[in-house]
Amino acid sequence: MNKNKKTIAAITAVAHYVPEKILSNLELEKMVDTTDEWIKTRTGISERRILEKGASSDMAAKAIDQLLKNRGIGPEEIEIIITATVTPDMLFPPTSTIIQRKVGAKNAWGFDIEAACSGFLYSLIVGAQFIETGNYKKVIVVGSDKMSSITDYTDRNSCILFGDAAAAVLLEPSNDENIGILDHIFYSDGTGEEALHMKGGGSLNPPTHETVDKKWHYIYQDGKAVFKVAVMGMADVSEEILKRNNLTGNDIDYFVPHQANLRIIDAAANRMGIDHSKVMINIDKYGNTTAATIPLCLSEWWLAGKLKRGNTVVLASFGAGYTWGSILLKWAID
Ligand code: UT7
């Protein structure tokens, strides 16, 4: 538990933004051969949000504007912005620098991290390490994904799953060595490429008429294959972090899983022996928002007054790569 480190990073503010437009299961019934019943029972999703105008940076900037208000600080105090996204505004420049301009964080530098659904967790630890060096005092980590920009709304296998959202946290040095980000365990397995990817648009398959015709600029997922490894990966890594810290499910106040499928979440929570009431779930309202799911849960639970300073929290994710991991923290905001 970071015994040798002088400084511990803590989340000292949290905020989110979701677009107004709602895409319901009933509307999807009119677009592809699916039913509300199938989507709810197989995934737990009832509706998702769609950003009609703008890009990932616009959602991130709105979340950060609110974050700064919540903390009562100005944008010029921010030193670093780290953005987790699979839907950057453009391949370059970094979306973080676009966000920096939009929020007026003129003293900040920044960069993006692409680790799919684990992007926020990986970014949170990268950000925390800048704080732990003692060289930085205010780092923003934001997860923002406009999944609708890479979703094929003629493919019923995938279009029912995804939504758009952004959520951000502020990291600062903790004023209590027992509160903050305490431990993490991360994994990657590159054999996952085949089951979950977007083939086109990168250096392997630059955009051509052919890549467009083949729908290579959309998410491809072999759902069944990913489902099996996601259940195992998320449950194993969450159990591992509990064991390593001599904790059981009973010691945890909240389990915050990546929101990809309610059945994956339930299986992981059962394996950890965590009561359903301690599991943050909002997949019903937002679907899978990739890098935004976990901070979006934290923000909603904090706003509702349910997440309190001193709460023991386990975050866990599984996504494309494959990438997966868990983080143990003690919540720092009153
Ligand atoms: O966030 C990144 C990580 N991603 C994940 O963790 C996602 C993991 N995978 C999943 O969540 C699930 O596999 C899905 C929700 C994507 C699919 O659920 P499933 O229970 O694995 O269904 P399936 O793909 O095995 O499909 C079962 C049946 C198929 O029909 P047949 O072949 O049995 O006749 C599909 O064609 O359901 C059919 N189906 C649908 N039916 C109605 C697939 N999509 C739909 C749909 N509506 N939208």
Side-chain angles (χ1 to χ4, degrees):
M1 273 207 193
N2 281 335
K3 286 255 159 60
N4 301 319
K5 285 185 182 140
K6 281 189 236 129
T7 307
I8 283 189
I11 294 173
T12 56
V14 64
H16 69 271
Y17 171 79
V18 294
E20 274 170 30
K21 186 184 160 58
I22 293 173
L23 178 61
S24 68
N25 289 351
L26 296 177
E27 284 165 276
L28 279 167
E29 281 186 0
K30 294 178 207 148
M31 296 160 64
V32 289
D33 180 17
T34 191
T35 61
D36 176 46
E37 161 76 15
W38 191 96
I39 302 172
K40 275 192 192 142
T41 52
R42 309 300 277 191
T43 71
I45 302 167
S46 296
E47 57 189 42
R48 65 290 289 143
R49 300 298 177 107
I50 303 293
L51 183 70
E52 292 183 283
K53 269 194 199 133
S56 293
S57 68
D58 294 303
M59 295 192 292
K62 288 200 167 100
I64 292 172
D65 286 344
Q66 186 59 49
L67 182 80
L68 297 174
K69 273 191 202 137
N70 290 352
R71 185 70 180 111
I73 58 171
E76 68 289 343
E77 291 186 55
I78 301 308
E79 295 165 303
I80 307 177
I81 297 173
I82 303 172
T83 306
T85 187
V86 295
T87 51
D89 288 19
M90 296 174 250
L91 273 182
F92 71 90
T95 300
S96 288
T97 57
I98 300 171
I99 295 167
Q100 179 224 12
R101 169 171 55 80
K102 287 183 177 170
V103 301
K106 58 176 196 264
N107 297 315
W109 58 280
F111 56 95
D112 298 355
I113 289 182
E114 199 280 88
C117 296
S118 299
F120 181 78
L121 293 201
Y122 283 18
S123 300
L124 192 62
I125 293 304
V126 171
Q129 293 189 2
F130 284 109
I131 299 287
E132 287 166 5
T133 63
N135 294 328
Y136 292 89
K137 304 274 185 272
K138 286 186 172 55
V139 176
I140 283 179
V141 177
V142 58
S144 186
D145 269 308
K146 184 183 174 183
M147 296 306 290
S148 61
S149 68
I150 54 169
T151 297
D152 176 3
Y153 287 98
T154 64
D155 174 16
R156 70 174 184 173
N157 291 295
S158 62
C159 73
I160 56 145
L161 298 171
F162 297 99
D164 304 337
V169 299
L170 177 66
L171 291 170
E172 294 183 83
S174 177
N175 54 13
D176 177 336
E177 64 177 18
N178 298 310
I179 294 219
I181 295 171
L182 302 177
D183 198 9
H184 72 275
I185 301 175
F186 289 162
Y187 293 104
S188 294
D189 174 3
T191 63
E193 177 191 344
E194 208 176 313
L196 185 46
H197 59 243
M198 192 176 86
K199 258 200 172 102
S203 56
L204 180 64
N205 300 297
T208 60
H209 289 293
E210 192 193 356
T211 63
V212 171
D213 291 343
K214 288 182 165 169
K215 300 193 167 198
W216 283 2
H217 300 276
Y218 292 130
I219 303 156
Y220 167 82
Q221 174 169 248
D222 175 352
K224 241 188 184 94
V226 179
F227 188 92
K228 277 188 210 144
V229 282
V231 170
M232 227 164 16
M234 212 154 75
D236 283 352
V237 77
S238 305
E239 258 194 329
E240 191 182 349
I241 206 160
L242 289 185
K243 257 192 204 141
R244 184 154 103 174
N245 289 277
N246 298 316
L247 300 170
T248 69
N250 291 333
D251 301 311
I252 300 303
D253 294 300
Y254 285 110
F255 176 50
V256 193
H258 170 55
Q259 314 276 307
N261 188 315
L262 187 57
R263 292 183 291 142
I264 298 176
I265 294 171
D266 286 343
N270 287 342
R271 176 96 83 79
M272 291 167 74
I274 286 187
D275 189 78
H276 202 73
S277 62
K278 295 178 171 182
V279 185
M280 291 192 193
I281 297 169
N282 60 13
I283 189 171
D284 49 321
K285 294 189 291 180
Y286 305 122
N288 182 350
T289 57
T290 303
T293 60
I294 289 171
L296 180 54
C297 281
L298 293 173
S299 182
E300 287 203 325
W301 263 251
W302 174 74
L303 266 180
K306 292 186 276 186
L307 180 57
K308 299 210 167 75
R309 184 172 168 90
N311 280 170
T312 304
V313 180
V314 171
L315 317 177
S317 69
F318 190 95
Y322 299 116
T323 55
W324 70 106
S326 61
I327 293 177
L328 172 69
L329 59 85
K330 283 243 184 220
W331 190 250
I333 318 172
D334 283 324

